[in-house]
Amino acid sequence: MELFNVYSLYPVEPVRGRGCFVYDTAGTEYLDLYGGHAVISIGHAHPDYVRAVSEQVARLGFYSNSVENPLQTRLAEKLGHISGYADYSLFLCNSGAEANENALKLASFHTGRAKVLSFTKAFHGRTAGAVAATDNPAIAAPFNRTPNVEFAPLNDIGAVREKLSTREFAAVIVEGIQGVAGIHCPTDDFLRALREAATETGTQLILDEIQSGYGRTGRFFAHQHAGIRPDLITTAKGMGNGFPIGGVLIAPHFEARPGLLGTTFGGNHLACAAAIAVLDTIERERLVENAAAVGEYLLGELRRFTTLREVRGRGLMIGIETDGPGAELRRRLLFERHVFTGGAGASTVRLLPALCLTRELADRFLESFRGIVG
């Protein structure tokens, strides 16, 4: 049997990591400014994380949601405290796409409505409902296409109000920052107006914080810069620092009942141990504050480059818009300077490093970047 070949691969094989670095089979050191799609939040092989996961798997790695699991309660309490959403409930699942599926389902259950409003260039995942709400027809099979999803331009509140005024929409879903699209930020004013429009029309506001959450932007969730409270918040990626886990934070007005949602692997013992270790580390090492400070510095320094078209983002979620092909710049950074970065579209380079990135490592990247773009 061979692998189903759907990925474009670099000829690099990382075999170990430490902090903001990974090392290949030849022992070559790479500065990791991408974290495997924003997944590595507290750094590779953080010793406290390794210890927590190792000790848990030695005790009990998995049992189903048919038994009590105090680790789930502990995770929910800690996440509520750190994020500022202690009055919300938590549903645990396995991935960001699954988190969005369950958020969309909850909104539809709650309102009795079928339609969802999303935004142009949005990415919410590749499962049935999530990909339907994703603005990329190339990755949606005919099975996924539905008249129940419509799109509006990001930051156009007039277009949003016109659609929501029909009161046909169960939910409006928006990313805290559009990641796959190339780091495009909804303005704070737009998010505040979106919250108002959703409330006025009985539409549930879903904030997809899968890439932009968990401290990446210098607040625990990106939407908190706007001072709003969504009805549903989805999270994954940095939640487990590499262990698959996702979640939906659910406002108090949603009523839980047995059988409403379900999952086999979601909230398993090992996943919860990993997620608790991540939150403990974020809090103890003040990584949200670090992301704000180092991100502000990095954004400021990148904006000094006169050869770049635009630099976008918040905290350690940064998009660098180039005049040339982004893929070539990423390739040169990887093979000439040993720096991992990510892509988005034809000309954008994405930076999504671990939240423990230091100013010294930011300078190391800037020196490598300068050596290529001038």
Side-chain angles (χ1 to χ4, degrees):
M1 183 182 290
E2 295 182 350
L3 294 174
F4 194 56
N5 187 17
V6 295
Y7 299 113
S8 299
L9 303 179
Y10 286 122
V12 176
E13 183 189 350
V15 294
R16 64 184 180 92
R18 175 68 67 177
C20 292
F21 295 96
V22 293
Y23 303 84
D24 68 12
T25 51
T28 305
E29 180 181 82
Y30 296 83
L31 177 61
D32 185 7
L33 269 287
Y34 194 53
H37 304 307
V39 166
I40 301 301
S41 51
I42 62 172
H44 295 280
H46 191 290
D48 294 337
Y49 173 86
V50 171
R51 186 181 309 110
V53 172
S54 300
E55 290 177 354
Q56 183 59 48
V57 77
R59 289 193 297 269
L60 179 68
F62 174 82
Y63 207 79
S64 76
N65 285 307
S66 62
V67 298
E68 293 183 356
N69 180 355
L71 290 172
Q72 294 182 350
T73 302
R74 185 175 160 200
L75 172 56
E77 290 174 348
K78 184 169 286 292
L79 177 55
H81 167 69
I82 293 176
S83 69
Y85 283 98
D87 57 329
Y88 279 43
S89 301
L90 178 65
F91 176 76
L92 291 165
C93 53
N94 308 290
S95 68
E98 188 179 343
N100 282 334
E101 293 282 343
N102 282 286
L104 293 166
K105 187 185 293 185
L106 279 172
S108 186
F109 274 136
H110 181 75
T111 62
R113 302 173 183 175
K115 297 184 75 170
V116 172
L117 181 62
S118 186
F119 292 93
T120 52
K121 298 184 178 180
F123 183 90
H124 296 293
R126 291 176 179 264
T127 52
V131 80
T134 291
D135 186 24
N136 183 354
I139 65 171
F143 168 75
N144 303 124
R145 294 166 196 157
T146 170
N148 285 333
V149 178
E150 296 183 16
F151 296 89
L154 187 68
N155 291 321
D156 186 343
I157 193 60
V160 171
R161 287 189 180 278
E162 183 177 354
K163 288 184 178 292
L164 295 190
S165 66
T166 64
R167 297 181 182 265
E168 297 176 320
F169 290 87
V172 54
I173 183 168
V174 63
E175 292 161 88
I177 293 178
Q178 288 188 335
V180 173
I183 316 297
H184 294 283
C185 302
T187 68
D188 292 345
D189 285 344
F190 174 74
L191 286 180
R192 286 189 282 264
L194 183 62
R195 173 68 277 180
E196 292 174 2
T199 301
E200 290 167 3
T201 57
T203 309
Q204 302 305 292
L205 175 58
I206 303 173
L207 249 296
D208 178 340
E209 294 278 9
I210 290 159
Q211 189 173 132
S212 57
Y214 259 70
R216 179 150 299 281
T217 67
R219 298 291 299 272
F220 196 86
F221 291 122
H223 69 264
Q224 290 174 316
H225 290 281
I228 65 165
R229 287 170 68 85
D231 301 298
L232 297 153
I233 305 163
T234 56
T235 182
K237 291 196 182 293
M239 190 174 184
N241 200 52
F243 198 96
I245 185 171
V248 187
L249 282 69
I250 304 165
H253 62 267
F254 289 89
E255 182 182 353
R257 66 174 187 271
L260 185 70
L261 304 176
T263 170
T264 296
F265 294 104
N268 67 74
H269 295 72
L270 197 50
C272 286
I276 290 167
V278 167
L279 288 174
D280 283 342
T281 303
I282 286 175
E283 188 173 36
R284 183 177 60 254
E285 298 184 5
R286 300 181 63 83
L287 294 185
V288 179
E289 294 84 349
N290 185 71
V294 177
E296 182 180 11
Y297 170 71
L298 192 49
L299 281 162
E301 292 300 305
L302 284 167
R303 285 170 177 150
R304 294 176 183 269
F305 285 79
T306 58
T307 53
L308 301 177
R309 188 181 303 169
E310 187 181 12
V311 177
R312 300 181 294 269
R314 254 177 171 158
L316 291 177
M317 187 170 183
I318 297 172
I320 304 169
E321 190 80 21
T322 69
D323 277 323
E328 176 61 16
L329 177 54
R330 291 172 58 213
R331 188 196 66 78
R332 291 189 63 191
L333 282 167
L334 181 59
F335 293 110
E336 295 178 23
R337 304 289 174 161
H338 297 148
V339 178
F340 271 102
T341 58
S347 57
T348 302
V349 173
R350 272 190 293 173
L351 305 183
L352 300 163
L355 308 185
C356 57
L357 186 76
T358 64
R359 182 162 168 163
E360 290 73 24
L361 291 179
D363 282 332
R364 175 168 165 172
F365 164 72
L366 290 165
E367 181 180 355
S368 296
F369 192 72
R370 189 173 292 108
I372 291 178
V373 304

